[in-house]
Amino acid sequence: MRELERKLLSNRGYEVESAVDGMDGWNAVRTSPFDLVVTDIDMPRMDGIELVTLIKGHATLKTLPVLVVSYKDREEDRQRGLTAGADYYLTKGSFHDETLLQVVVDLIGEAEA
């Protein structure tokens, strides 16, 4: 799924970096500037809830938009993500490519040409 999301966003002109897990993502956002983080919940070493919590609790990263895209589609899963600070929560089984792209545009705007 990560590769599909990467290709979809890259094909629309966004520069995309992939992290292999939550810890890799956390290290990346602390060392390089990003406009948006797209994360899953279920990841090794650090899950998406912890990643969102760390980002939103960090003095300089707290304004960084975070989009959760997860197979977890129960209302309590969605609430956990939003309570942790995610700006948007999409379930993998219920959206089409255009939905993901529209959320990205809503959060950070169109890709620069």
Side-chain angles (χ1 to χ4, degrees):
M1 190 69 174
R2 177 178 64 225
E3 183 60 17
L4 292 172
E5 292 168 357
R6 187 196 67 74
K7 283 182 179 179
L8 177 67
L9 294 170
S10 291
N11 288 342
R12 289 296 177 99
Y14 293 98
E15 184 179 329
V16 180
E17 267 187 54
S18 293
V20 296
D21 59 31
M23 184 62 72
D24 190 33
W26 174 236
N27 290 333
V29 297
R30 289 181 299 144
T31 58
S32 299
F34 289 88
D35 296 322
L36 172 69
V37 171
V38 179
T39 185
D40 198 343
I41 296 296
D42 293 326
M43 297 183 293
R45 297 198 304 156
M46 178 189 296
D47 72 17
I49 297 296
E50 186 177 357
L51 177 59
V52 172
T53 301
L54 287 171
I55 290 170
K56 294 302 183 172
H58 192 278
T60 57
L61 297 175
K62 64 184 174 189
T63 60
L64 179 63
V66 179
L67 165 60
V68 173
V69 181
S70 177
Y71 282 115
K72 294 184 174 245
D73 62 356
R74 297 175 308 171
E75 182 58 27
E76 57 259 33
D77 297 321
R78 185 178 174 284
Q79 281 306 314
R80 276 186 68 222
L82 295 174
T83 299
D87 296 276
Y88 214 99
Y89 190 104
L90 286 176
T91 56
K92 292 177 183 177
S94 67
F95 77 86
H96 301 284
D97 294 351
E98 289 303 317
T99 305
L100 176 65
L101 290 167
Q102 187 57 56
V103 170
V104 170
V105 169
D106 289 349
L107 290 172
I108 64 170
E110 297 280 348
E112 295 179 13

